[in-house]
Amino acid sequence: MQRFETFLTDNLPQIPSFHPHYEAALHEMLRAGGKRFRPALLLGVVKAYNELLLDGAYHAAYAIELLHTYSLIHDDLPAMDDADLRRGKATLHTMHDEVTAILVGDALNTYAFEVLSKAPFSDRVRVRLIRTLAENGGIGGMVLGQAIDCHFENAPLAIEQVRLLHTNKTAKLIAAALQMGAIITGQKEIEKSLYDFGIKLGLLFQIQDDILDITMSEEEAGKTTNNDSDKNSFVTLLGLEKAIEEADKLADELIGQLESLDVSLKNELSSLLKRYIYRHKNQTD
């Protein structure tokens, strides 16, 4: 992942102008770090099947990180979650202003596809990667999830509706990362199974975030916490104890599925996933 960080730093958008902070604002949330979970999943699949394709795969990993970062910038806006801390730093709308945050989010969204369009793959592979990222991160994926999340604040949903909400808002982009790794390496026969594994992993990730929102301080989380009381979170609907039970169940299922992967893929993903699959237990035990 250090090589990925170098690639990201070397490919930060360079947009010189007389605007006092536009270019710097484009860089700030990317430089702030984060877990880089989605890029790590994509690169793990590529490394498992064809390490020679890693240099090209950094473009795809960067594209998914750009799209994810734009979503966080917009998620933190006053019209949405109104958060003032992200990745241990002040959010863009508090550091600069709301207009800057909106425009930087817009810019990183479109830059993701510019980066992906320049990836050193065949046209067929590039188109499939662009389509996969757009379908899961856009109109019928992450954006749909955000729309449902915001519209139904203070209006409790049924638990299956909440699963659908977070399948779109969180899980689809995680699933897309795994699928994109399979596309790059030509592993067509495992694309669907990896995608389905990613959906389950993404739902676990969301339940864990909901748990950690009420069990971690802002300093520990690096972002605004205790901010979901009006939202349809798993903790809000199920309560903390049952949310932990739900996370435990999903985590156990994922560990079982991880063990059934072919050896090369299991070896690449195990160290990453085992750090995250039980992260809710580390905080609540």
Side-chain angles (χ1 to χ4, degrees):
M1 291 306 293
Q2 186 53 51
R3 289 176 65 190
F4 171 71
E5 289 297 329
T6 301
F7 181 91
L8 183 152
T9 301
D10 289 346
N11 288 276
L12 290 169
Q14 303 302 313
I15 314 293
S17 76
F18 57 84
H19 192 287
H21 57 254
Y22 174 66
E23 185 180 77
L26 290 170
H27 301 171
E28 278 157 355
M29 278 300 109
L30 290 165
R31 285 186 180 277
K35 293 182 283 293
R36 310 296 198 214
F37 184 60
R38 293 151 191 83
L41 289 173
L42 186 154
L43 294 171
V45 175
V46 173
K47 190 176 179 189
Y49 290 112
N50 192 340
E51 199 164 349
L52 295 175
L53 293 172
L54 275 175
D55 284 347
Y58 291 134
H59 292 77
Y62 185 28
I64 206 165
E65 184 65 17
L66 285 162
L67 196 80
H68 176 56
T69 302
Y70 121 72
S71 76
L72 300 181
I73 291 168
H74 279 192
D75 195 40
D76 290 334
L77 287 167
M80 297 181 77
D81 281 357
D82 195 16
D84 57 10
L85 189 68
R86 174 69 71 173
R87 292 176 168 171
K89 307 285 185 183
T91 49
L92 278 189
H93 69 274
T94 58
M95 190 185 308
H96 298 294
D97 51 65
E98 192 172 355
V99 169
T100 296
I102 291 169
L103 292 176
V104 166
D106 292 343
L108 296 185
N109 182 1
T110 50
Y111 188 54
F113 295 97
E114 180 180 338
V115 168
L116 202 47
S117 74
K118 296 174 181 176
F121 303 124
S122 69
D123 288 346
R124 183 188 63 81
V125 169
R126 277 198 297 266
V127 168
R128 289 210 61 211
L129 292 172
I130 289 168
R131 181 186 301 143
T132 300
L133 187 56
E135 285 177 346
N136 289 280
I139 191 169
M142 183 180 68
V143 178
L144 171 62
Q146 287 281 31
I148 295 171
D149 195 28
C150 292
H151 183 79
F152 287 96
E153 277 191 29
N154 297 303
L157 297 173
I159 189 62
E160 286 309 314
Q161 291 175 312
V162 172
R163 286 196 181 93
L164 178 64
L165 185 172
H166 291 299
T167 293
N168 284 284
K169 182 181 174 184
T170 302
K172 283 188 176 180
L173 203 57
I174 288 173
L178 290 164
Q179 184 179 7
M180 288 166 74
I183 290 169
I184 289 167
T185 53
Q187 300 294 316
K188 190 170 181 60
E189 69 281 358
I190 64 166
E191 277 185 41
K192 186 180 185 308
S193 61
L194 272 183
Y195 185 86
D196 292 344
F197 180 87
I199 291 293
K200 188 176 287 189
L201 178 62
L203 281 173
L204 172 62
F205 216 73
Q206 183 61 55
I207 299 170
Q208 289 173 332
D209 276 356
D210 293 348
I211 292 167
L212 299 178
D213 180 71
I214 66 164
T215 59
M216 292 181 80
S217 67
E218 290 191 352
E219 291 74 21
E220 290 170 318
K223 62 181 180 178
T224 303
T225 56
N226 292 295
N227 207 33
D228 288 344
S229 58
D230 297 330
K231 296 271 191 174
N232 280 283
S233 80
F234 285 93
V235 172
T236 303
L237 262 71
L238 299 176
L240 179 59
E241 186 175 335
K242 286 197 175 298
I244 292 172
E245 288 175 9
E246 182 90 0
D248 287 345
K249 178 172 175 266
L250 272 176
D252 291 343
E253 289 175 9
L254 284 163
I255 287 293
Q257 290 180 16
L258 183 62
E259 292 302 318
S260 70
L261 297 176
D262 66 65
V263 174
S264 59
L265 185 56
K266 183 179 80 169
N267 289 344
E268 284 302 327
L269 294 183
S270 285
S271 59
L272 171 68
L273 292 183
K274 286 179 178 176
R275 282 208 314 272
Y276 287 108
I277 282 179
Y278 289 109
R279 67 188 175 121
H280 62 287
K281 299 291 282 184
N282 298 333
Q283 187 62 28
T284 57
D285 277 352

